[in-house]
Each structure stands twice: as structure tokens, then as C-alpha cells.
Amino acid sequence: SQLIPNMADWNYGMISFGGTPHWIVHPTSPKTGLMITQEACGDTSLSHALRMSWDWIIKHNKKSRIIVISDGEPTDDSKEHILELASVNNNIPIDTVGIGNSAQANLHTSFGFGGYGYDPEFLKRLSEISGGIFCEAHSVKQLTNAIFKLSPSERKLLGSPK
């Protein structure tokens, strides 16, 4: 709920990719930011969640950005293959937010995320390939600030299908 004020004028969809990716909130407008986040379960099905996002964007011909919020590393595909897929879909920006650090207790308590650790170099590269931005968040306040920084109130929805 602390992230909602940052999205007051932003239409968005949300995919959970902890375990089997699924829509938490379906996209609702022609210009939509797609937020991908994970639930605590140990799996990080990032490749599948990105494919769901790209498929929706292409099918609906919408201008969109993708924001990936992750505290883990992909478990459904290799990092190299995910980066290849991102380069094919590089007209759709992927902003990434790595959450947590070695002291995960604050985020675990606040959001229910596990303490698996993420690969900052992978998330940076994923953003760079697509023209997105990488951020790190080590507290709830930093996560809220990162989402605001990446929101369309601060940046345009630049992506569009090929």
C-alpha cells in the first residue's frame, strides 16, 4: 500500500513471478506500465513473466514500460537467454529494482520477500539492453522512492511494439 500513492495517475498491470507467473492486476489502459514483482516462494520465474509482459504489449499495441522488482535470481531460464530475449524486445524499456541486501530482515518483515539475494550486474544489464534504468532499494522508503522515480509522472512510457 505504500507504493500506491506513487501510482495515483498511472495505469498499470502487475505480474507476480514467484513460482508460476500470474496476473495480480490486469492492465487497464492504452498506456500502461507493467510492474513485475515476486512473492516469497523461492522460485524466480523472470523469463516467463517477461514473456507474458511482452506478449500483452504486442497484442494490445500499447506504449508501455516494464518495471521488474526482484530480490532473487532467475530460476526458469539462464541469465544469458533472458538478456538475449530482452535484446530482441529492446524497444520496450525494462526498469529494474533490486531489493534487499545481506540484512534482509526489514524487507522480509515489510513485504514478505525472502532473503535470496539478487545479481545487480544482471539487473543493470537487463535495463541497459532495453533502455531502462536500474535502481537498488534496501528499505521500504528506498523502494517507494525508486517506484516514484520510474513512474510516468517522472518519465514517459517510451516503449511500443515493433
Side-chain angles (χ1 to χ4, degrees):
S1 65
Q2 295 185 39
L3 300 178
I4 299 302
N6 291 339
M7 298 185 203
D9 296 322
W10 187 18
N11 294 306
Y12 64 95
M14 187 176 295
I15 297 172
S16 169
F17 66 100
T20 302
H22 60 278
W23 289 101
I24 297 172
V25 177
H26 286 275
T28 58
S29 81
K31 290 188 176 182
T32 299
L34 293 178
M35 184 174 294
I36 304 175
T37 187
Q38 67 191 86
E39 297 169 358
C41 77
D43 290 332
T44 305
S45 301
L46 180 58
S47 181
H48 187 171
L50 285 170
R51 289 172 201 237
M52 286 175 64
S53 299
W54 290 319
D55 288 348
W56 184 88
I57 292 166
I58 290 166
K59 181 179 178 186
H60 296 281
N61 197 24
K62 312 298 183 192
K63 291 191 174 197
S64 297
R65 299 191 74 85
I66 297 172
I67 300 175
V68 173
I69 302 172
S70 182
D71 72 342
E73 296 192 32
T75 58
D76 65 337
D77 207 342
S78 72
K79 293 175 193 175
E80 294 77 18
H81 189 242
I82 293 171
L83 294 174
E84 287 174 25
L85 292 171
S87 67
V88 170
N89 293 285
N90 68 356
N91 57 318
I92 301 167
I94 302 171
D95 299 317
T96 58
V97 181
I99 60 172
N101 55 24
S102 59
Q104 298 257 338
N106 183 28
L107 285 173
H108 182 75
T109 302
S110 301
F111 289 112
F113 295 145
Y116 301 102
Y118 61 92
D119 178 349
E121 293 306 314
F122 167 70
L123 293 180
K124 284 179 194 174
R125 187 72 188 119
L126 184 59
S127 290
E128 288 170 359
I129 285 172
S130 64
I133 292 176
F134 168 72
C135 301
E136 291 182 286
H138 303 292
S139 69
V140 173
K141 181 175 178 152
Q142 287 178 343
L143 179 58
T144 303
N145 290 340
I147 297 300
F148 180 77
K149 174 182 170 184
L150 300 174
S151 73
S153 64
E154 298 295 309
R155 303 176 66 223
K156 294 179 180 178
L157 293 170
L158 300 174
S160 60
K162 292 179 181 177

